[in-house]
Amino acid sequence: MTIGYRDLASLLRDAIKAGDYPPDSTLPKQDDLADQYDINVNTVRKAISVLESEGLVTSVRRRGTVVRARPPMKRLGVERYAKSKWKFGLVAFAADREASGQTWHRNDQTNQVRKVEADADVATALGVEPGSLVYERARLVKQDGHPTHTLTSYYRPEHVEGTPIVDPKPGTATPGGGFAVLTLQGLEPDTMTETFHSRMPTPEEVEELELPAGEPVMVLERTTRTADGTPVEFARGVHAASRFAWSYTFEIPE
């Protein structure tokens, strides 16, 4: 019986998960798969497209269809922001790495700082007028040389002027990151609101995050406030969807 492209995608998916095709190996050539299953090569192409959209494989010029590494990166929920971590030199992305049994280095993230005009979302979050000048701190985070996500934070100038947060050197602002700097400024982070949604990436994000065709991104928006409700940071993160598992532990409210 002739199989369809979904059937072939399922067979290949199971083989990848079983380890028959380990990370960085290549699937058989499309013509060979077509001969093996007695199907049209167009059916094979459609099956490969399904696997690409799931983030399992990517097409590499001169190599073929390469199985992507899927590191078990656990992105912690509230635990990643524990004061016991950043007050003692462990930034959030490093907390994720340690929870996943992976190594990290301060220079795993780039750093670009500039003053920009606040858009509507930034202005609302920071309590300033749209168009007001705010500091933008943009980071690209990598693991083993491969991008995993971007994170761009915005601050009121009066909160961070002259601090390590606006220092453009690569890496984290301090061993404890931006939250440690804010604490030294008398603006200790106390509460935050996070919102997530998924979407397809922009062409720029595809290039920056080295995304395979069809992979979506998870977008994080985070507003951080002090105990008295003063907003001290608004952040946007764009994450390669296949690189993370999101994990939350919390007490169930009454």
Side-chain angles (χ1 to χ4, degrees):
M1 183 179 71
T2 301
I3 66 172
Y5 76 92
R6 290 190 177 89
D7 302 309
L8 179 58
S10 180
L11 290 171
L12 294 173
R13 184 188 302 111
D14 290 344
I16 291 171
K17 291 182 178 179
D20 297 338
Y21 300 111
D24 205 40
S25 67
T26 57
L27 298 184
K29 293 181 180 179
Q30 294 185 9
D31 287 340
D32 292 341
L33 286 171
D35 290 341
Q36 179 181 348
Y37 292 100
D38 193 24
I39 55 179
N40 189 288
V41 71
N42 288 329
T43 302
V44 177
R45 292 193 184 106
K46 291 177 69 174
I48 297 301
S49 294
V50 170
L51 299 181
E52 286 181 327
S53 70
E54 295 173 358
L56 291 174
V57 301
T58 189
S59 296
V60 178
R61 189 177 181 183
R62 297 191 182 91
R63 285 195 62 190
T65 305
V66 179
V67 178
R68 297 187 71 202
R70 294 174 64 84
M73 174 73 77
K74 179 186 293 184
R75 188 188 184 282
L76 301 176
V78 295
E79 297 95 339
R80 76 194 304 265
Y81 300 122
K83 295 179 181 181
S84 60
K85 290 183 170 60
W86 51 264
K87 282 189 175 182
F88 293 93
L90 192 64
V91 294
F93 85 84
D96 293 338
R97 300 273 178 91
E98 291 195 356
S100 303
Q102 299 172 4
T103 60
W104 64 276
H105 307 279
R106 280 190 64 192
N107 287 344
D108 281 346
Q109 70 173 36
T110 62
N111 186 32
Q112 293 183 322
V113 178
R114 60 176 183 160
K115 274 187 175 180
V116 299
E117 293 183 357
D119 64 25
D121 291 339
V122 172
T124 298
L126 294 182
V128 299
E129 290 295 320
S132 300
L133 289 179
V134 296
Y135 271 108
E136 175 189 83
R137 184 166 177 257
R139 288 91 85 199
L140 173 66
V141 184
K142 296 184 177 182
Q143 181 184 23
D144 298 328
H146 299 290
T148 60
H149 64 288
T150 63
L151 184 67
T152 305
S153 297
Y154 299 87
Y155 306 90
R156 295 185 192 177
E158 65 269 23
H159 288 167
V160 298
E161 198 78 66
T163 73
I165 283 178
V166 296
D167 186 339
K169 72 175 183 296
T172 58
T174 67
F179 286 178
V181 175
L182 291 169
T183 298
L184 291 175
Q185 293 292 99
L187 298 165
E188 180 174 322
D190 185 75
T191 62
M192 62 176 57
T193 301
E194 289 191 333
T195 302
F196 298 94
H197 68 275
S198 63
R199 60 169 170 79
M200 297 308 295
T202 65
E204 293 76 17
E205 290 165 347
V206 170
E207 181 177 358
E208 187 171 33
L209 295 176
E210 299 176 8
L211 297 173
E215 179 169 343
V217 291
M218 289 294 296
V219 180
L220 156 75
E221 293 183 344
R222 178 182 77 206
T223 303
T224 304
R225 299 177 177 84
T226 64
D228 66 4
T230 301
V232 291
E233 181 212 38
F234 175 69
R236 294 190 183 108
V238 180
H239 302 71
S242 67
R243 304 279 301 189
F244 292 89
W246 307 79
S247 177
Y248 287 87
T249 302
F250 51 88
E251 293 184 4
I252 299 174
E254 294 295 335

